[in-house]
Amino acid sequence: MGKVTGFLEHTRVKDRYEPADARLKHYHEFVSTLPMQDAKIQAARCMDCGIPFCNNGCPVNNVIPDFNDLVYRDDWRAALDVLHSTNNFPEFTGRICPAPCEAACTLNFNSDAVGIKSIERSIIDRGWEEGWVRPLPSAFRTGKRVAVVGSGPAGLAAAQQLARTGHDVTVFEKNDRAGGLMRYGIPDFKMEKAAIDRRVKQIEGEGVIFRTGVLVGTLPEGSKVTNHARTSVTPEQLRSEFDAVVLAGGAEHPRDLPVPGRELDGVHFAMEFLPQQNQVNAGDNVKRQIHAEGRHVIVIGGGDTGSDCMGTSHRHGAASVTQFELLPQPPEAENKPLSWPYWPHKMRTSSSQEEGGEREFAIGTKEFIGENGRVTGIRTVRLEWSGGKMQEVPGSEQVLKADLVLLAMGFVSPVSTVLDAFGVTHDARGNAQAGSDEEGGYATNLPGVFAAGDMRRGQSLVVWAIREGRQAARNVDQYLMGSSNLPR
């Protein structure tokens, strides 16, 4: 590495956040890209550890020590090439990935990890500023046609890889804009949608056709899935018109909470609430928007989606925001000898949680209470773990005020009607049954039909979706051509 003592001389540089009182007034990104000089110093901390656990900690296997060294040596263009060799969209992961690579960093065992995520974002942001990110169309055409269903990170990655190897690719998206849950699930203050738009433009420059507002199959009656489809196509049409189909529609069936009072007005899934604000930010007219202004909001679910609901509610001007978590509060610091280099169990506080509100751990919801058909409160109970089981604490019931409840407890499976329309076999969790790269090449039970991303593996991270899209593309290429030069 460029500076073998860098980690001894320099400390970790933290990302710079706009103060909470200022950022709560808008929906723009508030984390600044690391300045080039700071990124070089941070890259100097990469310690030539011999075994780069960070590579395996990263689902797309980014070649992290190499691009760190290139940044330290001020060769940003080469660093971008190395970064793009494994990751189609580092501006997505550089903003919304939780950075398992940093948990696996060798330096993280007894110090602060290298700021890999910050360096990654600095590389790609400079790449866009310098005009280095351009369409890379294939020099030849194979004559093979591939349909990709879904334009989230898995679908976009698969489409780009397949187009670059010469296939004619069409992406079908049921919503009015491409991006999947990145478009309508991730708040703009975490990732502005211009990042998606410029990638879509690049991919179009590589020959990919996007057909938005087109639903493949049908949605269940009363579905809460975001859907702006103007028309539809059948699985039979796709299979007859294309040589292969990649199902990359994501996992959009939310986990429900069937307790008394669930039918009350004011109790909503997170994915009814979050997409509406993104639509408003995009200039759309949203009728009867679910709005938190002046309301006492309770968010049920302690993960990223729940945190996004908190941040959006803060910006709406909620009277109060409380987030529920079923599990006990994690320890403040992880047991590194036990957990490293894997993702550790420890207390984490998101930027939205730092902005205000309360967090309640080991709490369960017994009932939604209402008046005149609208929710006014929640009956709760404290929980404790005993003998490996979760039990209610006697005498701990209480009623908390709530006039807006957001259910953010994750997603259980894809929307089943899409898979059922194709006749794709489900696994035990309701996902598309298709093996990974080593276990069946993302192929479903139907010849020429593949599945990737959350639709195959279940709810997961953007970085996993990119990996799955890339690997599925390789297997599709091999199916069509007999062999493939695409990377794994």
Side-chain angles (χ1 to χ4, degrees), residues 24 42 101 115 119 136 173 194 280 293 329 400 406 411 424 476:
L24 287 177
Q42 189 60 207
C101 55
I119 296 168
L136 298 173
E173 169 58 54
V280 171
E293 182 178 7
Q329 182 172 331
L400 300 180
L406 302 172
F411 303 89
V424 170
V476 171

Side-chain angles (χ1 to χ4, degrees), residues 222-240:
S223 171
K224 301 298 185 181
V225 172
T226 305
N227 175 28
H228 305 128
R230 300 179 299 272
T231 185
S232 64
V233 297
T234 65
E236 291 74 21
Q237 286 176 281
L238 294 188
R239 296 192 68 194
S240 65

Side-chain angles (χ1 to χ4, degrees), residues 91 95 124-125 128-129 133 193-203:
E91 65 272 40
R95 284 166 167 78
I124 184 59
D125 284 1
W128 282 107
E129 290 170 5
V133 185
K193 302 311 175 270
I196 302 173
D197 295 336
R198 63 188 178 187
R199 273 299 179 183
V200 169
K201 186 176 181 181
Q202 181 207 25
I203 296 171

